[in-house]
Amino acid sequence: MKQLVRIVILTIMVMTMTITVWAQTDFYEDEKVEEATIVNLKVRDDQVSITGITRGQYLSSVELDLVDEGFGVAGIEAVVLCHEAMQRIRLRLTLEKYNEGSWIKINEKEFLWTEDQVEGDLSMAVVSYKVGALLSGQYRLRASVAVRALSLQSEAMATRTPAMTFR
């Protein structure tokens, strides 16, 4: 009986790990993810802005802005720049709050731009939105970017802002 319980628990643990891995590959597909190097950092009482770059062949930079607009509202803006025209640009933005020693996801949005949706070349993507009903505390913004070039080659990078206090 004990051996049966162990087998069932082990099977459940293995299946749970497999599901987690599949969730990650869904966004990046086969791209190797590089952590961006922060080249520009601006920190004020109500705003944190970064520019992250990678030595990639296709991705040039990602700019992130996180602004405390007051009354529990965060302003979020992201700009993705590429060295050449892309077939698609995929961006995932995650707003996280620091709570008891770990970062907790508060809001997550994913955006997809394809060459069919834009006039001209798809070499830049911009998104801006607001998230409300935030409590006071430490927040940060994470970005994951995956691009596919017209040659069907792919590249991905990730970056995040430093923590910022919302009052």
Side-chain angles (χ1 to χ4, degrees), residues 11 22 38 69 75 88-89 102 123 125 133 156:
T11 304
W22 283 59
I38 306 300
E69 297 192 355
R88 76 163 195 217
I89 299 174
S102 62
S123 59

Side-chain angles (χ1 to χ4, degrees), residues 66 96-97 103 106 134-135 137-140 162-164 166:
L66 178 60
E96 297 175 321
K97 182 179 182 184
W103 290 97
I106 300 298
L134 300 177
L135 301 175
Q138 295 282 320
Y139 288 85
R140 73 177 181 187
M164 178 182 152
F166 280 66

Side-chain angles (χ1 to χ4, degrees), residues 27-29 31 59 88-92 112 144-148 154-157:
F27 182 75
Y28 291 115
E29 296 177 1
E31 296 94 348
L59 273 168
R88 76 163 195 217
I89 299 174
R90 181 183 273 178
L91 170 66
R92 179 183 295 156
L112 176 65
S144 302
V145 181
V147 298
R148 178 171 290 149
S154 298
E155 197 168 83
M157 76 185 253

Side-chain angles (χ1 to χ4, degrees), residues 87-135:
Q87 184 183 63
R88 76 163 195 217
I89 299 174
R90 181 183 273 178
L91 170 66
R92 179 183 295 156
L93 295 171
T94 307
L95 181 64
E96 297 175 321
K97 182 179 182 184
Y98 190 74
N99 187 21
E100 297 181 10
S102 62
W103 290 97
I104 298 170
K105 179 173 32 174
I106 300 298
N107 178 276
E108 184 171 78
K109 290 193 177 202
E110 189 169 314
F111 304 91
L112 176 65
W113 296 268
T114 63
E115 63 182 336
D116 302 332
Q117 296 173 326
V118 297
E119 291 184 28
D121 292 340
L122 177 61
S123 59
M124 181 173 105
V126 179
V127 66
S128 178
Y129 62 96
K130 297 181 189 309
V131 176
L134 300 177
L135 301 175

